[in-house]
Amino acid sequence: VYSKGQFSVQHFTHVAYVLRGNTVHIYLNGALDCSMNLTSPVTLNSEDFVIGYDGLHNHANSAIRNLRWYNYG
């Protein structure tokens, strides 16, 4: 799922990734940015969790100052 939102340099942006059933939602600053229905269930794996990298060559030129991970909604 890719966000449609625009991010400003030097400004805080709250990003929330929510999984409800088979639908993924991304919220930016509390507003729904995009959602996507998954064709198969989410499963756990041993792959790395990455933020700001597309898995090939592109890395985001950004910083994460505060990260919280929750397994409940």
Side-chain angles (χ1 to χ4, degrees), residues 20-32:
R20 287 191 191 110
N22 283 340
T23 305
V24 176
H25 305 275
I26 295 179
Y27 292 86
L28 300 178
N29 295 321
L32 180 63

Side-chain angles (χ1 to χ4, degrees), residues 4-31:
K4 299 174 186 173
Q6 297 293 316
F7 297 92
S8 300
V9 175
Q10 300 296 323
H11 287 90
F12 176 83
T13 302
H14 180 265
V15 179
Y17 169 95
V18 177
L19 176 64
R20 287 191 191 110
N22 283 340
T23 305
V24 176
H25 305 275
I26 295 179
Y27 292 86
L28 300 178
N29 295 321

Side-chain angles (χ1 to χ4, degrees), residues 27-60:
Y27 292 86
L28 300 178
N29 295 321
L32 180 63
D33 174 60
C34 63
S35 60
M36 177 181 184
N37 291 322
L38 303 176
T39 57
S40 60
V42 174
T43 58
L44 299 177
N45 61 44
S46 60
E47 297 294 322
D48 293 334
F49 176 77
V50 296
I51 298 174
Y53 175 60
D54 69 3
L56 298 173
H57 309 291
N58 300 312
H59 295 82

